[in-house]
Amino acid sequence: FHTYFFDMATETTPLTAVGNDAADHLRRLKSYQWWAFFVTFGGYFMAHFSRKCYSTVKQQLQTDAGYSALILSEMDTVFMGTYAIGNIISGKLGDTMSPTTVLAIGLFGSGMCLFLINVSLWFDFEGFSESLGNFFILGVYFLFGFFQSTGGPVGTAVMGNWFCDKESVKRRGLIFGLWTCHQYMGDITAALCTAYVLNAGYAYWWALLIPAVTNFSWGFLTLRLIADPVDVGIITDDVRIRMEKNAVKAAAGEEVDDSGPAPISYAGALRIPMVAQYAFAFGFFKLTNYVLFFWLPYFLGKHFDPVTANLIAALYSVGMMPGGIIVGVVSDLFGGRRATVIGVFMSALMVFLGIFSQKSEELSAPALLGMLGLMGILVGGPNNIITSAVAADLASHPSVKGNNKSLGTVTGLINGCGSITASIGLLAVGPLQSTFGWSSVWIFLMGCTGAGTLLMSTKIYSELFPEPEEDAEIGLV
């Protein structure tokens, strides 16, 4: 199977030398899609598996290894900063270099960082010298954020390369909604892995070593992934458009470079309609998610015992998993009108946040379970779909049609800018709840959700009242 693929043309082979049997090209495209889905899904799964395993052994890092709560907090801050910047850089690298190489480097690097943390634990760096231990683990986590950032934008780009036929574009919401379940499956697996390690009586550092090994293993598998159909001579719609553009240039007597499209610049990506608006809107939506994810256990712990509080908080994470699938399927049914569906979900979320601002201190456990499960769906759906299906839609805009070297950059900008906005917004939560109480936090989140929805208002309007010539391309504009 792989021999058949690799014997075909490469990106630098003149496209005119490749056969033009459209049915054969489509058959070969469809036959490899499941493998591209599996490998990229697994890569992002590994990222969350390794990321979450650290957080599940925080208590042991403090009580057994001797790291202070301040250092553990600084690790989170350092990670979020480098992860946000890394998303912007990784997306561009994925469009400029071999995407599979960038993905593999991210997996190898993540595995190496976790292994180095294990080394510091085995040789008790913190016990030998507190300064050495703190500096070492913060430095490793600084690099860890960059390596972890490759999976989202670059994996989305590879998915966009392979799921580009007309049938896949029509089902893009469902496909990417299913694909974004990788993060929650990785988080759940990390919790189960740590629970097994601790319950079996093994040293807690096994919970860090296991994901280190699995990241390395998946990195080698990723190196075998074909990142782009054109690398094996499959002529997609984008390639046909590029060939037609080249034919026009040749007919006009211009020199034609048939070596493939040039990667899009950051400025070029921001010029694509709605990319900047989605980047900022996603920041507000991601902030809402971050506050609920990080602060819910703390808030609930003031009203319930620890077991009940964690159970109730877990329902929010459980709800997020089907959220992306639901938004994706519904937006597919409505012809790719994803902004409109996202707007409806965010408006419903504002209602729930309004109830929270008035009644959160009085709600019973069953009521909170139901509300947080629904809020998980309402938050998770838009968050998942914006950095996958929506990004793919934006990168398919007519202004860059024929150039598939844009999806990684677009996804990286949206995810990176969103993470930066969310990280800054998180700074307001502590002062708000300590000064004005938790009702002010929920009102703050209502304002953030409303601001993000307003940033999408022009897109929502154009989807609801499209110009006649735009109606056919509503999901791509």
Side-chain angles (χ1 to χ4, degrees):
F1 175 78
H2 278 281
T3 302
Y4 171 73
F5 266 81
F6 280 108
D7 282 345
M8 299 301 291
T10 65
E11 177 75 22
T12 56
T13 304
L15 293 170
T16 52
V18 182
N20 58 3
D21 186 347
D24 181 61
H25 288 299
L26 180 60
R27 178 186 61 79
R28 291 168 57 209
L29 180 78
K30 301 293 283 186
S31 69
Y32 199 79
Q33 285 178 342
W34 70 271
W35 183 248
F37 185 103
F38 173 72
V39 175
T40 53
F41 183 100
Y44 214 164
F45 168 92
M46 292 300 168
H48 276 265
F49 180 29
S50 56
R51 195 183 309 172
K52 186 67 175 178
C53 271
Y54 150 73
S55 65
T56 60
V57 294
K58 272 186 175 180
Q59 182 178 348
Q60 287 74 20
L61 287 172
Q62 185 174 7
T63 57
D64 296 357
Y67 290 101
S68 68
L70 176 61
I71 288 299
L72 296 178
S73 176
E74 289 177 352
M75 287 173 66
D76 292 337
T77 302
V78 166
F79 173 84
M80 289 178 66
T82 55
Y83 178 76
I85 297 170
N87 263 279
I88 299 173
I89 298 172
S90 295
K92 179 65 175 175
L93 288 176
D95 286 340
T96 306
M97 301 167 55
S98 166
T100 51
T101 300
V102 177
L103 287 172
I105 289 173
L107 289 164
F108 291 143
S110 295
M112 180 56 69
C113 287
L114 291 177
F115 180 76
L116 289 174
I117 291 176
N118 271 285
V119 169
S120 71
L121 298 174
W122 295 335
F123 292 95
D124 194 16
F125 284 14
E126 186 75 1
F128 177 75
S129 169
E130 184 176 349
S131 298
L132 171 64
N134 292 345
F135 178 80
F136 185 84
I137 202 166
L138 286 174
V140 169
Y141 233 63
F142 178 89
L143 296 174
F144 188 57
F146 283 114
F147 289 126
Q148 285 278 293
S149 69
T150 61
V154 184
T156 302
V158 174
M159 281 287 293
N161 289 343
W162 281 101
F163 289 87
C164 60
D165 58 287
K166 292 180 180 179
E167 179 187 356
S168 296
V169 170
K170 288 180 180 179
R171 299 167 58 231
R172 182 176 278 165
L174 170 62
I175 292 168
F176 278 98
L178 289 169
W179 185 72
T180 54
C181 289
H182 43 45
Q183 51 191 311
Y184 308 110
M185 293 185 68
D187 292 343
I188 293 168
T189 303
L192 293 175
C193 175
T194 302
Y196 172 78
V197 166
L198 297 179
N199 288 335
Y202 295 114
Y204 71 92
W205 49 257
W206 276 103
L208 300 174
L209 186 60
I210 292 171
V213 173
T214 56
N215 268 259
F216 268 112
S217 302
W218 209 267
F220 286 110
L221 180 65
T222 300
L223 285 173
R224 298 290 298 167
L225 177 67
I226 302 169
D228 193 331
V230 78
D231 291 344
V232 286
I234 298 176
I235 305 300
T236 62
D237 289 340
D238 282 345
V239 174
R240 289 192 184 93
I241 292 171
R242 198 168 81 234
M243 292 171 67
E244 292 170 0
K245 290 180 178 178
N246 287 341
V248 172
K249 290 181 179 179
E254 299 180 28
E255 183 178 351
V256 176
D257 179 8
D258 205 18
S259 60
I264 196 170
S265 64
Y266 288 123
L270 289 171
R271 282 195 294 269
I272 298 174
M274 288 304 300
V275 167
Q277 290 95 317
Y278 266 114
F280 284 108
F282 181 63
F284 287 114
F285 299 155
K286 195 165 190 175
L287 171 58
T288 301
N289 177 36
Y290 275 9
V291 172
L292 291 170
F293 184 81
F294 288 120
W295 285 90
L296 263 180
Y298 178 84
F299 165 73
L300 295 171
K302 293 184 173 296
H303 305 281
F304 302 96
D305 64 85
V307 174
T308 304
N310 281 308
L311 175 63
I312 296 172
L315 259 292
Y316 171 74
S317 298
V318 170
M320 292 190 73
M321 187 182 297
I325 301 173
I326 294 171
V327 171
V329 170
V330 173
S331 62
D332 285 344
L333 291 174
F334 284 91
R337 291 172 170 82
R338 306 194 208 286
T340 303
V341 177
I342 291 170
V344 171
F345 271 57
M346 290 294 99
S347 299
L349 176 64
M350 290 177 66
V351 174
F352 280 88
L353 290 171
I355 296 173
F356 253 59
S357 70
Q358 301 298 318
K359 302 290 185 180
S360 62
E361 309 280 350
E362 307 169 13
L363 292 171
S364 63
L368 283 170
L369 282 170
M371 285 190 66
L372 289 174
L374 289 172
M375 288 171 71
I377 293 174
L378 295 173
V379 175
N383 273 269
N384 293 344
I385 220 69
I386 286 175
T387 54
S388 55
V390 168
D393 291 343
L394 294 171
S396 302
H397 188 267
S399 64
V400 290
K401 199 68 175 174
N403 184 353
N404 66 344
K405 301 292 186 180
S406 59
L407 181 50
T409 304
V410 169
T411 308
L413 279 171
I414 292 175
N415 210 351
C417 292
S419 296
I420 293 171
T421 304
S423 300
I424 295 171
L426 276 173
L427 297 174
V429 177
L432 277 175
Q433 66 91 15
S434 61
T435 306
F436 302 106
W438 278 102
S439 62
S440 66
V441 175
W442 308 129
I443 293 171
F444 171 64
L445 294 185
M446 286 178 64
C448 292
T449 304
T453 306
L454 283 175
L455 284 167
M456 297 169 50
S457 59
T458 55
K459 177 63 175 173
I460 294 172
Y461 182 85
S462 68
E463 288 183 354
L464 293 175
F465 307 101
E467 297 293 332
E469 64 271 16
E470 294 179 352
D471 201 16
E473 297 286 339
I474 190 71
L476 302 178
V477 179

